[in-house]
């Protein structure tokens, strides 16, 4: 059985420094504490998909990710707890013969079968490029399975993430609910779940996502809700050089934030979010009296 989640997750006041000087309130939505094996926004996005898998009688989950994908580990742990098989298609065939890193080891320990693909085959498998290794090929290769997209972001995932907004009390026109953006599912859900007047801000963690990420969020809204929303935007200026890259100044910012507040800061997503909010507040991007809620989507890597 899958352990129950801690819901609602804690909401912690965290204003200091540049935020206080800008007249902006900061609080943290501690989704990193949500679940011991399916952490943060991964649980939010996976829970409705797992319920659908069980209801439809699926016995195998198949999904995609990079070498350090939290999504792969989360799917592996959830599938193991529910007695389902899991398959992870990993970007980078060169990894197949290398020693497993801590993340891939964790996925395999939970029973996930890993297959390492060339980057072109990976694009085909995820549906980004046409080719023989496309969605139909996945079913031929692995048999009947529920295919979860990269990052777990689909219509069901967006409805799961909408619960984040529902757990925040008294949202109104002064509120901006903020999250990092990798595939768009969490931002899509938050924006859809907000009451009138409140807005959502996503901070892109990958380079070159302008336009693409906006289109993905809009697509998820149409798929999940049959409409688009205009209460959100994405900042593309704080990706730190690209997905998975952590410049020294970003690591220093994260370390100082952790020392001041006693909250561990994950570097690839959460640190970029918090640094972006600090920069934007310092530049006067938020009117005085704004209340920012930063969603802490995951835990730091153990290694």
């Amino acid at each position: 059985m899958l352990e129950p989640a801690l819901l609602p997750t804690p909401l912690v006041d965290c204003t200091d420094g540049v935020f206080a000087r800008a007249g902006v309130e900061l609080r943290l939505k501690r989704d990193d504490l949500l679940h011991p094996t399916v952490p943060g926004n991964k649980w939010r996005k996976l829970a409705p998909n797992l319920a659908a898998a069980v209801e439809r009688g699926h016995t195998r989950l198949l999904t995609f990710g990079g070498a350090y994908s939290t999504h792969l580990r989360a799917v592996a742990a959830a599938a193991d707890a529910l007695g389902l098989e899991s398959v992870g298609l990993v970007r980078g065939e060169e990894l197949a013969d290398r020693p497993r890193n801590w993340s891939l080891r964790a996925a395999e320990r939970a029973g996930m079968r890993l297959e390492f693909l060339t980057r072109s085959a990976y694009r085909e498998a995820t549906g980004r490029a046409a080719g023989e290794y496309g969605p139909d090929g996945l079913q031929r290769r692995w048999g009947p399975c529920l295919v979860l997209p990269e990052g777990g972001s689909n219509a069901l995932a967006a409805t799961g993430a909408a619960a984040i907004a529902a757990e925040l009390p008294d949202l109104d026109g002064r509120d901006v609910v903020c999250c990092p953006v990798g595939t768009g599912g969490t931002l899509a859900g938050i924006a859809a779940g907000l009451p009138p007047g409140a807005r959502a801000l996503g901070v892109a963690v990958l380079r070159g996502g302008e336009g693409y990420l906006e289109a993905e969020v809009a697509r998820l809204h149409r798929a999940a809700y049959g409409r688009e929303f205009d209460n959100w935007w994405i900042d593309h200026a704080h990706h730190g050089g690209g997905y998975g890259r952590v410049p020294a100044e970003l690591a220093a910012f994260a370390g100082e934030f952790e020392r001041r507040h006693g909250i561990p800061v994950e570097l690839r997503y959460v640190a970029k979010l918090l640094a972006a909010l600090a920069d934007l507040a310092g530049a006067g991007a938020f009117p005085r009296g704004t209340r920012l809620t930063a969603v802490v989507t995951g835990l730091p890597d153990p290694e």
Side-chain angles (χ1 to χ4, degrees):
M1 292 290 294
L2 193 61
E3 294 183 48
L6 170 66
L7 291 173
T9 52
L11 187 62
V12 180
D13 290 328
C14 205
T15 300
D16 72 354
V18 65
F19 298 99
R21 291 190 293 273
V24 172
E25 181 181 345
L26 176 68
R27 55 188 189 172
L28 304 182
K29 178 65 167 161
R30 294 291 308 276
D31 265 24
D32 55 321
L33 303 177
L34 195 155
H35 196 275
T37 58
V38 187
N41 66 335
K42 303 308 178 188
W43 189 95
R44 301 275 189 186
K45 294 193 288 185
L46 275 175
N49 278 287
L50 293 171
V54 172
E55 180 181 347
R56 297 169 190 171
H58 285 288
T59 60
R60 181 181 298 115
L61 305 178
L62 183 146
T63 195
F64 318 87
Y68 288 91
S69 170
T70 305
H71 173 67
L72 285 181
R73 302 195 308 275
V75 170
D80 183 51
L82 294 172
L84 305 175
E85 297 178 33
S86 63
V87 177
L89 305 186
V90 184
R91 183 177 57 249
E93 65 174 344
E94 72 278 2
L95 301 172
D97 298 324
R98 295 180 184 175
R100 300 287 192 259
N101 63 40
W102 65 267
S103 184
L104 295 177
R105 286 199 308 271
E108 285 189 321
R109 281 198 303 269
M112 176 172 275
R113 180 170 178 179
L114 302 178
E115 180 164 321
F116 298 86
L117 303 183
T118 65
R119 279 155 178 76
S120 61
Y122 187 86
R123 287 192 296 273
E124 293 173 11
T126 56
R128 291 202 196 93
E132 295 182 3
Y133 217 121
D136 291 340
L138 298 178
Q139 300 287 340
R140 289 193 299 270
R141 172 72 177 84
W142 294 104
C145 56
L146 179 64
V147 178
L148 299 173
E150 191 176 30
S153 291
N154 58 13
L156 285 174
T159 62
I164 296 171
E167 293 176 14
L168 300 173
D170 304 320
L171 293 177
D172 56 33
R174 66 174 171 157
D175 284 291
V176 182
V177 183
C178 315
C179 68
V181 179
T183 54
T186 302
L187 176 62
I190 289 171
L194 292 175
R199 296 167 293 152
L201 166 62
V203 173
V205 301
L206 63 151
R207 184 177 183 179
E210 296 90 339
Y212 166 75
L213 287 176
E214 282 81 359
E216 281 295 291
V217 173
R219 180 187 66 78
L220 289 167
H221 279 154
R222 292 191 300 270
Y225 298 97
R227 54 163 291 197
E228 295 183 15
F229 296 78
D230 61 3
N231 60 346
W232 58 276
W233 78 102
I234 299 177
D235 170 85
H236 291 278
H238 295 87
H239 51 67
Y243 180 74
R245 296 191 177 182
V246 182
E249 60 270 25
L250 179 64
F253 169 89
E256 182 57 31
F257 191 96
E258 183 171 335
R259 282 190 291 275
R260 288 199 308 275
H261 299 288
I263 295 173
V265 178
E266 186 273 330
L267 295 176
R268 290 175 291 142
Y269 289 87
V270 178
K272 293 179 181 182
L273 169 67
L274 295 173
L277 296 182
D279 284 350
L280 292 169
F286 304 112
R288 297 185 72 85
T290 295
R291 181 168 62 179
L292 302 174
T293 300
V295 181
V296 182
T297 52
L299 295 163
D301 294 342
E303 297 181 13

